[in-house]
Amino acid sequence: QACTYPCQCPSQPLQCPAGTSHVLDACGCCKVCARQLGELCSLQKPCDHHKGLYCDFSKIHRGSGICLAHEGATCDLLGKIYHNGESFQPTCKLQCICMDGAIGCIPLCSDDLRLPSPECPNPRRVKFRNKCCEEWICEEGSEENRFETAMAVFREDPAHKPELNNLQENCLVQTTEWSACSKSCGMGISARVTNDNPQCHLVKETRLCMVRPCDFPMEKTKKGKKCVRTPKPRQSLRFEFSGCTSTRSYRPKFCGSCTDGRCCTPYVTSTVEVEFRCPEGDFFQRKMMFIKMCSCHYDCPRDNDIFLATYRRRMIGDHV
């Protein structure tokens, strides 16, 4: 009854706290900041269904409710127990949430990297007092070595020094390997750093990754073998990410398992654009890792570790 059509939504973009989803109101009109666990909710202020929350109207009257989480496994981090759907900050640099036994985190500090450039020949990260995140400062060098440090990111050409308006032509493209997937099972994130852009700026790229589903069955090993590196793909499936589903189905390869304590991780991968459709009707595309071959080794990451993203194992990069 509170809905009025045509829809009239605020012209200003939503300003939601870090880690908060944008969801449609009950009228299906406007995007609003989703209510979190324990917060008051209503039809016009829905709970964050991406995190498994729902509005319980049985405890509060007058059309309001409270956001509760569906039953799910708790999370244990350094001896402290968090309930399903609970948000928390283990450090000032991370915002985390417990989702049915798994911990997902987003960084609150920018972790961008920076190479020397003509505008900033001597970049340096500095920790300021009373500030959690480090910040970049540019130290001025002498005129003689101003371009010497900047040449780390530009091609050396004795004929002329790089012009500010000709950065792309002189840019020496540098790209790191993709990092290991942030989760040992289920959907995670992999990242790399590259300066392959018109500004020749070092930026962080991310892609979705799934080493194996969390309900992946153990493969039977052949006689004399202790590992199944890359099992043959089974039936086709649709990927799910943050409550949204891929518009088409895929037959991806996953990494298998071992019986001798080793773990199997991706070794040769490719990156493909995957389109997702959300319950609200939105579409978006994300880069996603597709496995071509896995390797088995003893350098295994720890399960349920929110700092898993710091684990690095070199992979052979994208292969077309």
Side-chain angles (χ1 to χ4, degrees):
Q1 295 179 356
C3 298
T4 57
Y5 297 99
C7 298
Q8 292 183 345
C9 302
S11 58
Q12 297 296 324
L14 278 178
Q15 297 292 331
C16 300
T20 302
S21 303
H22 296 180
V23 296
L24 284 174
D25 58 25
C27 301
C29 275
C30 306
K31 289 289 183 72
V32 296
C33 298
R35 300 292 171 164
Q36 303 303 303
L37 186 70
E39 294 181 349
L40 293 178
C41 54
S42 66
L43 292 176
Q44 298 303 321
K45 298 175 181 178
C47 299
D48 199 335
H49 63 84
H50 294 297
K51 298 177 181 177
L53 304 181
Y54 69 97
C55 195
D56 185 356
F57 292 97
S58 64
K59 295 177 172 57
I60 300 178
H61 300 292
R62 298 179 183 175
S64 293
I66 189 167
C67 288
L68 299 178
H70 294 287
E71 286 190 23
T74 59
C75 303
D76 181 359
L77 178 64
L78 302 176
K80 188 169 182 179
I81 302 298
Y82 297 95
H83 297 288
N84 180 38
E86 184 176 356
S87 295
F88 58 96
Q89 274 189 251
T91 73
C92 64
K93 296 183 178 182
L94 289 173
Q95 176 72 43
C96 302
I97 184 170
C98 173
M99 298 181 68
D100 197 17
I103 297 176
C105 298
I106 60 170
L108 300 178
C109 297
S110 172
D111 58 351
D112 60 320
L113 301 178
R114 188 162 185 172
L115 284 178
S117 65
E119 303 96 335
C120 186
N122 298 301
R124 190 163 63 91
R125 291 197 86 151
V126 176
K127 179 75 171 71
F128 288 98
R129 193 176 179 181
N130 299 327
K131 283 192 176 182
C132 175
C133 304
E134 294 178 332
E135 297 181 8
W136 284 106
I137 63 169
C138 292
E139 291 185 345
E140 290 294 332
S142 63
E143 198 63 35
E144 293 80 31
N145 63 6
R146 176 172 172 79
F147 285 101
E148 289 179 12
T149 54
M151 291 305 290
V153 72
F154 296 102
R155 290 192 176 91
E156 294 185 21
D157 185 354
H160 64 280
K161 294 177 180 179
E163 300 283 342
L164 291 181
N165 59 358
N166 202 22
L167 297 182
Q168 191 171 19
E169 185 177 323
N170 293 297
C171 185
L172 179 62
V173 175
Q174 301 178 73
T175 303
T176 66
E177 305 287 350
W178 287 105
S179 70
C181 193
S182 62
K183 295 183 71 173
S184 57
C185 74
M187 195 70 80
I189 299 291
S190 178
R192 71 177 179 184
V193 176
T194 182
N195 65 340
D196 190 6
N197 54 67
Q199 294 76 33
C200 199
H201 287 172
L202 206 61
V203 295
K204 182 180 178 182
E205 290 183 342
T206 59
R207 64 177 180 178
L208 301 176
C209 53
M210 186 185 291
V211 178
R212 64 184 65 81
C214 289
D215 57 354
F216 200 50
M218 296 285 287
E219 286 280 328
K220 290 185 178 179
T221 56
K222 294 180 180 179
K223 191 174 183 180
K225 297 281 187 180
K226 295 184 178 180
C227 292
V228 180
R229 279 194 316 175
T230 316
K232 292 182 180 179
R234 289 184 171 82
Q235 71 275 12
S236 60
L237 58 86
R238 293 181 187 270
F239 295 113
E240 291 190 7
F241 173 63
S242 190
C244 307
T245 307
S246 62
T247 54
R248 55 161 291 194
S249 57
Y250 297 86
R251 290 175 61 90
K253 289 182 179 179
F254 297 118
C255 291
S257 55
C258 300
T259 59
D260 59 357
R262 283 184 288 174
C263 53
C264 296
T265 56
Y267 183 61
V268 180
T269 68
S270 62
T271 303
V272 177
E273 287 275 357
V274 175
E275 185 180 60
F276 290 86
R277 185 180 190 278
C278 302
E280 293 86 3
D282 291 350
F283 288 85
F284 65 88
Q285 288 187 331
R286 287 288 186 275
K287 291 179 179 179
M288 184 160 181
M289 176 189 78
F290 278 76
I291 298 170
K292 295 199 168 187
M293 187 171 67
C294 302
S295 65
C296 300
H297 51 85
Y298 288 104
D299 186 13
C300 300
R302 294 170 290 166
D303 288 336
N304 202 27
D305 187 352
I306 65 167
F307 305 107
L308 195 60
T310 62
Y311 160 81
R312 295 287 183 268
R313 176 176 171 80
R314 287 181 66 84
M315 292 189 295
I316 293 179
D318 291 352
H319 286 246
V320 180

